């Protein structure tokens, strides 16, 4: 039977980690049973990150993909395109014309997976807890427009906002707004380790080895009440050290599905060859970028950052590393999202050594500028090193820079970046929700998740609030463009490319077309076992 390649349009809907490689699993595609999903995501509890799965801390695509299966939110992004819809809530609506008062009514009979009833007070506890803890991941900033949370009876929750926020329903669909049991989560302290308790479609059992979760076992929650139809009884998510080991397990039948993170070579091979594996290609909203510590001496001068922006050849980078699996990106906002503007192309045009040299000379910068470009070795896939080698060559070939590159494992990379140890560093972003605001505010607002020292008071105090007042996101396009143009001028971050996303599955697995949405949310409930076709 020939393997089918499905190319699907984006479905309108998050940063990204890796589970460590324990190789195969006893339950694979050979005889029914659990559906087994492979990943290169890792979940490690460290001194710097002791509570990787606490909703008040977790802020990357891997940990969120655990939480979305287990912790229920008031709202949820729908299966297809559209605005978020009620999930734990029966209904949610703005009750004023200014988008500053948002009221939700809980479904009747909601229970945590241990059988405890869920009340409005539990919702208030969960959201107030995340806001109060203010974890250094920065995830609490998603709730920054909340002023107070009020409850009425057991089922009504009212959010009073500090300022209008048309994106607030999307924010209530993210795991930081997940409902947790006060009996399991302390009010002012993160919950260390890998235990997760909620009211989502699955319960979680974590198989650990030392300080690392090597397999996540999801079992259908019989007490779940929400909008989702769960098409399986259990799913095992198994970690692999690299994409090659994960691919070998799929080929052997030890796993049924793999997605994050395949290598470009694997994707091409699976797309070209016949066999019993189906490849699903979807448009995605993942972006990659360089971040700058604008207080670091080597890049404190805006001219240095502008010169890098003038030299980077995105088309060459994409074609040599990712081929058709990615596209050059000239803004933090992907091209398919309302409000996108090609601000960096408008500002810098085609790569030019002459223009870059002029920028540095006018600012009195001595060349070559010595820099280290930092990247993570085990988080965004095996092509990351090659990507940074090309960036290094592009900058060094200009004669204006003397660049070295350095790779670091994710579990030490992120804490180091947040402490300001890197002048220039590579990161990825998977949106929390598919709105232009979520590609701008997390990088530029106060309490931004990068802990960036870059501050633009006009963006923070005027432009971001202005854009959020517009319920019609097309009407916010002018303000959003203004923000993007300012980023291109100041270059606190440098967008590089946006990528597609892929799911590979053995051909008796159904539901793969919806296994990921455009925000890279893993939707395990969509997977089932069917007849090989």
């Amino acid at each position: 039977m020939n393997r089918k390649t499905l190319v699907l349009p984006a479905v309108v809907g998050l940063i990204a980690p890796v589970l460590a490689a324990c190789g195969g699993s006893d339950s694979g595609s050979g005889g029914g049973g659990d559906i087994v999903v492979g990943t290169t995501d890792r979940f490690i509890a460290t001194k710097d990150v002791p509570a990787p799965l606490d909703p008040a801390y977790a802020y990357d695509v891997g940990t969120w993909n655990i939480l979305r299966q287990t912790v229920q939110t008031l709202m949820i992004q729908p299966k297809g395109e559209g605005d978020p819809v009620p999930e734990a809530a029966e209904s949610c609506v703005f009750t004023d014309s200014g988008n500053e008062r948002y009221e939700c009514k809980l479904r009747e009979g909601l229970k945590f997976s241990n059988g405890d009833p869920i009340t409005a007070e539990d919702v208030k506890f969960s959201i107030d807890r995340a806001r109060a803890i203010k974890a250094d991941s920065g995830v609490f900033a998603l709730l920054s427009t909340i002023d107070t949370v009020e409850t009425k009876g057991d089922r009504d929750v009212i959010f009073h906002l500090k300022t209008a926020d048309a994106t607030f329903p999307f924010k209530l669909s993210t795991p930081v707004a997940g409902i947790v049991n006060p009996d399991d989560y302390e009010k002012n302290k993160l919950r260390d380790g890998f235990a997760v308790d909620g009211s989502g479609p699955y319960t979680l059992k974590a198989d650990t080895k030392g300080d690392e979760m090597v397999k996540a076992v999801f079992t259908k929650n019989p007490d779940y009440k929400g909008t989702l139809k769960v098409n399986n009884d259990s799913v095992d998510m198994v970690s692999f050290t690299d994409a090659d080991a994960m691919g070998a397990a799929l080929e052997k039948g030890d796993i049924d599905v793999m997605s994050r993170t395949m290598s470009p070579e694997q994707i091409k091979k699976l797309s070209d060859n016949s066999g019993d594996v189906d490849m699903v290609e979807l448009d995605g909203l993942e972006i990659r970028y360089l971040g700058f510590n604008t207080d670091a001496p080597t890049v404190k001068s805006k001219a240095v950052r502008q010169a890098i922006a003038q030299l980077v050849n995105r088309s060459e980078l994409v074609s040599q590393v990712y081929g058709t699996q990615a596209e050059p990106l000239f803004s933090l906002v992907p091209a398919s999202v309302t409000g996108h503007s090609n601000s960096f192309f408008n500002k810098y045009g085609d790569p030019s050594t002459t223009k870059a040299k002029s920028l540095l000379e006018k600012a009195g910068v001595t060349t070559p500028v010595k820099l280290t470009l930092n990247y993570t070795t085990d988080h965004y896939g095996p092509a990351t090193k090659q990507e940074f080698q090309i960036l290094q060559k592009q900058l060094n070939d200009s004669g204006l820079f003397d660049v070295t590159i350095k790779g670091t494992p994710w579990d030490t990379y992120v804490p180091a970046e947040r402490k300001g140890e890197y002048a220039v560093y590579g990161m990825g972003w998977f949106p929390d929700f598919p709105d232009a605001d979520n590609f701008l505010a997390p990088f530029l607002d106060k309490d931004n998740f990068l802990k960036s020292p870059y501050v633009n008071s006009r963006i923070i105090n005027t432009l971001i609030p202005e854009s959020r007042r517009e319920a019609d996101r097309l009407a916010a396009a002018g303000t959003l463009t203004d923000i993007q143009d300012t980023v291109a001028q100041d270059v606190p971050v440098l967008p590089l490319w946006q990528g597609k996303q892929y799911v590979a599955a053995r051909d008796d697995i159904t539901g793969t077309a919806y296994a990921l949405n455009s925000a890279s949310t893993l939707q395990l409930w969509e997977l089932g076992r069917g007849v090989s076709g």
Side-chain angles (χ1 to χ4, degrees):
M1 189 212 67
N2 288 333
R3 181 216 22 82
K4 301 170 286 295
T5 300
L6 307 177
V7 181
L8 301 177
V11 284
V12 173
L14 155 155
I15 342 200
V18 203
L19 282 158
C22 60
S25 168
D26 292 337
S27 54
S29 62
D34 294 359
I35 294 172
V36 184
V37 176
T39 181
T40 57
D41 281 344
R42 301 178 70 185
F43 300 86
I44 304 172
T46 67
K47 180 181 177 182
D48 289 318
V49 186
L53 296 184
D54 191 315
Y57 178 85
Y59 202 16
D60 57 62
V61 71
T63 52
W64 274 25
N65 279 338
I66 297 290
L67 294 175
R68 289 187 189 276
Q69 322 305 317
T70 52
V71 177
Q72 202 172 15
T73 49
L74 290 172
M75 303 290 284
I76 195 169
Q77 294 175 40
K79 184 173 181 176
E81 293 191 16
D83 294 331
V85 297
E87 165 62 0
E90 177 183 282
S91 63
C92 285
V93 65
F94 281 108
T95 57
D96 67 329
S97 59
N99 291 341
E100 293 182 357
R101 187 180 188 275
Y102 196 70
E103 186 166 351
C104 294
K105 180 178 285 291
L106 294 178
R107 293 178 184 272
E108 286 194 62
L110 283 178
K111 297 178 182 179
F112 290 110
S113 57
N114 68 353
D116 290 350
I118 295 175
T119 68
E121 282 297 328
D122 296 321
V123 177
K124 174 177 168 60
F125 169 85
S126 302
I127 290 177
D128 283 348
R129 173 179 181 267
R131 295 168 61 219
I133 288 175
K134 289 191 173 182
D136 65 5
S137 65
V139 69
F140 69 91
L142 283 170
L143 307 175
S144 64
T145 55
I146 296 174
D147 185 17
T148 59
V149 184
E150 176 189 357
T151 63
K152 286 170 55 178
D154 286 341
R155 293 178 58 202
D156 292 318
V157 185
I158 301 119
F159 298 94
H160 300 277
L161 306 184
K162 299 172 185 174
T163 183
D165 187 359
T167 69
F168 189 66
F170 280 108
K171 294 171 181 176
L172 288 183
S173 73
T174 63
V176 68
I179 307 167
V180 299
N181 193 330
D183 291 343
D184 298 317
Y185 293 82
E186 293 184 41
K187 182 178 181 180
N188 296 309
K189 183 179 181 297
L190 293 172
R191 184 180 184 180
D192 292 355
F194 302 106
V196 179
D197 294 286
S199 56
Y202 296 98
T203 59
L204 170 69
K205 177 181 177 292
D207 286 357
T208 60
K209 185 176 181 181
D211 293 330
E212 187 163 5
M213 181 168 71
V214 294
K215 181 166 74 170
V217 180
F218 298 101
T219 302
K220 187 176 179 179
N221 177 10
D223 290 324
Y224 166 72
K225 287 189 175 182
T227 61
L228 304 174
K229 178 184 176 184
V230 183
N231 294 318
N232 55 70
D233 292 326
S234 57
V235 177
D236 294 347
M237 182 183 288
V238 180
S239 268
F240 294 86
T241 49
D242 55 49
D244 288 340
M246 180 172 64
L250 182 69
E251 188 174 338
K252 286 172 59 181
D254 289 339
I255 64 174
D256 300 296
V257 182
M258 67 177 186
S259 177
R260 285 184 41 81
T261 300
M262 291 180 266
S263 70
E265 294 78 16
Q266 279 179 321
I267 293 168
K268 186 175 189 306
K269 178 181 176 182
L270 288 169
S271 298
D272 291 344
N273 294 345
S274 297
D276 57 359
V277 172
D278 298 340
M279 175 66 82
V280 182
E281 175 189 301
L282 307 100
D283 289 334
L285 298 179
E286 171 190 5
I287 70 168
R288 297 286 176 85
Y289 60 92
L290 292 179
F292 297 93
N293 176 354
T294 54
D295 279 349
T298 51
V299 295
K300 189 169 186 177
S301 169
K302 180 167 65 176
V304 173
R305 305 193 302 270
Q306 289 177 328
I308 294 173
Q310 186 65 73
L311 290 169
V312 167
N313 188 328
R314 295 168 177 81
S315 296
E316 179 183 74
L317 177 69
V318 167
S319 66
Q320 291 189 17
V321 182
Y322 299 102
T324 60
Q325 300 162 25
E327 297 176 354
L329 181 63
F330 295 91
S331 168
L332 285 172
V333 181
S336 55
V337 173
T338 300
H340 163 82
S341 174
N342 281 321
S343 297
F344 273 83
F345 186 81
N346 296 339
K347 170 72 176 173
Y348 299 99
D350 292 327
S352 169
T353 299
T354 301
K355 291 180 180 178
K357 183 178 180 181
S358 176
L359 286 166
L360 295 172
E361 287 179 345
K362 286 179 181 177
V365 175
T366 302
T367 59
V369 179
K370 288 191 174 183
L371 287 177
T372 298
L373 303 187
N374 293 273
Y375 67 94
T376 178
T377 56
D378 59 353
H379 189 76
Y380 297 118
T384 306
K385 181 177 181 179
Q386 183 185 357
E387 178 179 339
F388 273 73
Q389 288 172 334
I390 290 173
L391 288 171
Q392 177 189 31
K393 186 175 186 303
Q394 289 180 354
L395 295 176
N396 285 348
D397 282 353
S398 72
L400 302 174
F401 288 89
D402 180 4
V403 171
T404 58
I405 61 174
K406 182 181 178 182
T408 306
W410 182 251
D411 60 331
T412 54
Y413 184 79
V414 171
E417 183 279 314
R418 288 176 179 156
K419 292 173 184 175
E421 295 179 12
Y422 303 144
V424 190
Y425 51 91
M427 292 283 274
W429 180 252
F430 299 83
D432 310 323
F433 51 89
D435 186 277
D437 176 87
N438 193 241
F439 292 90
L440 298 171
F443 302 91
L444 305 169
D445 210 349
K446 62 182 178 180
D447 297 321
N448 67 81
F449 87 100
L450 290 176
K451 306 297 180 189
S452 171
Y454 173 78
V455 175
N456 185 298
S457 57
R458 182 167 174 265
I459 289 178
I460 293 171
N461 298 323
T462 302
L463 297 180
I464 289 176
E466 249 179 46
S467 71
R468 288 173 174 167
R469 290 190 192 103
E470 298 291 351
D472 178 356
R473 303 312 283 159
L474 276 174
T479 304
L480 295 169
T481 296
D482 200 345
I483 297 172
Q484 292 166 83
D485 288 347
T486 303
V487 172
Q489 173 65 31
D490 292 350
V491 201
V493 289
L494 179 63
L496 297 173
W497 55 265
Q498 69 180 88
K500 299 175 183 178
Q501 53 186 0
Y502 299 84
V503 176
R506 304 195 69 80
D507 60 11
D508 65 333
I509 299 299
T510 61
T512 53
Y514 293 102
L516 288 173
N517 70 12
S518 63
S520 296
T521 296
L522 191 59
Q523 303 178 140
L524 296 180
W525 54 85
E526 295 288 348
L527 300 177
R529 236 181 245 287
V531 178
S532 178

